[in-house]
Amino acid sequence: MNRPIKYRVWDKNNNRMLYPTDYEYIQFRDGWLIRVKTYNFEEDLWQDTAEFLQFTWLTDKNWKEIYEWDKVVWNFTYAEICLVIWDEKRCWFYLKPIEWFSASDKYFKMNSCKPEIIWNIYENPELLTK
């Protein structure tokens, strides 16, 4: 099965999440411009002001799409709260426990559970330190 890679884009200048239907890179002398196209509009962002977050191709228990850097409740029995992170070496998404009943080096493959999304680190950065 061949699935296209899907992203959402965090616009650092305007502190908002974009859900592109398409995007393209345009090279300039000063760097790369990213033209993000959504259903409603086109937006131009410089590469250093756009953060691409990859879709895991999984949904949470409420059928909400899970992207990297989402914070999820993984184990409802023990309230295991984790961040969704992409592992470059192993080429998979994993859950890194960050709160309560968590062992710092304990990782779980994403497809072994049905988590619930709480928030993501871009739209709610103040919650990351709590």
Side-chain angles (χ1 to χ4, degrees), residues 14-44:
N14 298 307
N15 292 326
R16 64 185 173 149
M17 196 67 73
L18 302 173
Y19 293 85
T21 54
D22 194 16
Y23 57 89
E24 64 179 313
Y25 283 92
I26 304 166
Q27 187 174 12
F28 287 92
R29 220 177 305 167
D30 301 352
W32 290 90
L33 184 73
I34 303 166
R35 179 157 293 143
V36 177
K37 301 172 186 177
T38 68
Y39 291 111
N40 301 326
F41 62 90
E42 279 188 10
E43 183 87 23
D44 289 341

Side-chain angles (χ1 to χ4, degrees), residues 103-120:
S104 59
D105 293 328
K106 187 166 102 181
Y107 300 104
F108 306 94
K109 288 184 184 176
M110 278 294 297
N111 61 359
S112 64
C113 61
K114 198 66 168 172
E116 180 178 8
I117 297 170
I118 301 172
W119 51 263
N120 67 65

Side-chain angles (χ1 to χ4, degrees), residues 54-107:
Q54 189 174 349
F55 178 42
T56 64
W57 287 100
L58 297 173
T59 58
D60 74 355
K61 70 178 197 161
N62 300 314
W63 299 101
K64 189 174 176 183
E65 294 178 341
I66 300 173
Y67 289 82
E68 64 181 313
W69 295 112
D70 279 340
K71 184 176 179 184
V72 299
V73 174
W74 174 72
N75 184 334
F76 294 98
T77 306
Y78 299 107
E80 189 94 48
I81 298 175
C82 306
L83 279 176
V84 178
I85 298 175
W86 174 251
D87 186 334
E88 291 283 338
K89 292 180 184 175
R90 295 182 183 95
C91 295
W92 70 26
F93 288 96
Y94 67 92
L95 297 176
K96 181 177 182 1
I98 58 171
E99 293 179 22
W100 209 55
F101 289 115
S102 299
S104 59
D105 293 328
K106 187 166 102 181
Y107 300 104

